[in-house]
Amino acid sequence: MKYLLIEDNAELANAICSRIRLDGHVIDHADKIDTAIGFSQAGEYDLILLDIMLPDGDGRSFLRAHRDAGNDTPIIVLTARSQVSDRISMLDLGADDYVTKPFDHAELQARCRAVLRRKTGSIQTVHRFGDVTFDPVAGHLSVRGQTLNLRNRELRLLEQLIRAPGQIFSKQKLFDRLFSYDDDVSENAIEVYIGRLRKHLDGTSVTISTHRGLGYRLDHD
């Protein structure tokens, strides 16, 4: 999963980013609305964590503009405002949930998981495709009863492909999903991770096919 955090408190932002990355996800951090708009226009995110009080404006203006543009990316508001009227107004503007500061990071992570489950319309996290079973939460790939532990980016790459089997993903698209703006890597890194996944899937009915000039696709016999 790829997150966008919009938060101007550097200490809190660093703590949130560290926890999200420990869970194996990718996260970009913006400390003001203008930066967040640039990120959201340039990339695709699974979830946005949005502070309200920001140096260049009110986070609710970002939320309103995001929804008015037809963007349905789930948004969890991080707010110090505890009055019921404030929470209702944010939900009415299109927020999917809110967390009141200060909060426990375990609660924030649980709310993220709940919002993402609602977004996909399922509580099922295990993917079965061909003769392989993939559990992105546990990080396990099961091949003919044998469980393989995947490295973080192998895990996230397979998760992206297996969520839409038969769909061709460009190298740029996969790169955007696996790396944040702060990562200093080349787009060719995708070829390395594709190669590793192919080794894991060797001998199964599942393959990753290359479509020249287009990208990669997950198939099975």
Side-chain angles (χ1 to χ4, degrees):
M1 296 290 179
K2 189 170 185 179
Y3 292 62
L4 174 60
L5 170 65
I6 309 169
E7 168 63 62
D8 67 321
N9 183 305
E11 183 178 356
L12 178 58
N14 288 335
I16 293 173
C17 288
S18 294
R19 292 295 293 264
I20 296 297
R21 289 176 181 133
L22 279 175
D23 273 355
H25 303 295
V26 177
I27 186 165
D28 285 321
H29 170 226
D31 61 0
K32 54 186 180 180
I33 294 175
D34 280 349
T35 305
I37 291 173
F39 280 168
S40 63
Q41 290 177 343
E44 180 182 337
Y45 296 93
D46 296 295
L47 180 65
I48 296 174
L49 303 175
L50 173 65
D51 186 25
I52 291 300
M53 302 302 293
L54 293 159
D56 56 343
D58 191 315
R60 286 174 292 191
S61 65
F62 175 90
L63 172 59
R64 183 183 296 108
H66 209 59
R67 292 300 184 235
D68 288 347
N71 196 312
D72 64 351
T73 304
I75 294 179
I76 296 179
V77 171
L78 312 178
T79 178
R81 299 177 179 179
S82 58
Q83 292 187 0
V84 173
S85 59
D86 289 324
R87 299 199 299 267
I88 290 174
S89 68
M90 288 181 285
L91 292 171
D92 284 343
L93 282 174
D96 294 86
D97 201 353
Y98 62 87
V99 179
T100 304
K101 299 177 181 179
F103 51 80
D104 186 279
H105 287 281
E107 178 188 0
L108 176 61
Q109 289 170 296
R111 288 182 179 272
C112 289
R113 291 192 295 270
V115 166
L116 289 168
R117 284 197 300 269
R118 292 200 297 270
K119 170 67 175 176
T120 60
S122 172
I123 61 172
Q124 178 61 262
T125 60
V126 176
H127 300 272
R128 294 177 177 82
F129 187 65
D131 56 359
V132 306
T133 301
F134 175 58
D135 185 342
V137 175
H140 294 161
L141 173 66
S142 296
V143 178
R144 295 184 298 275
Q146 180 182 2
T147 299
L148 307 174
N149 292 316
L150 302 182
R151 296 179 181 178
N152 178 44
R153 289 204 170 100
E154 297 169 1
L155 170 70
R156 298 308 166 198
L157 177 56
L158 181 56
E159 181 179 19
Q160 183 67 32
L161 293 171
I162 208 167
R163 285 167 62 189
Q167 178 179 330
I168 297 175
F169 290 90
S170 69
K171 186 186 293 186
Q172 179 63 54
K173 171 79 169 181
L174 295 174
F175 183 86
D176 289 343
R177 302 297 292 167
L178 263 66
F179 299 98
S180 70
Y181 283 101
D182 293 332
D183 290 320
D184 185 18
V185 293
S186 75
E187 196 174 291
N188 290 333
I190 294 298
E191 297 175 12
V192 175
Y193 292 109
I194 288 288
R196 291 178 182 176
L197 280 183
R198 281 173 169 157
K199 289 181 179 178
H200 289 309
L201 297 171
D202 188 40
T204 72
S205 65
V206 179
T207 58
I208 301 174
S209 57
T210 301
H211 296 262
R212 191 173 181 84
L214 297 175
Y216 303 96
R217 186 179 70 189
L218 194 71
D219 300 297
H220 76 84
D221 298 335

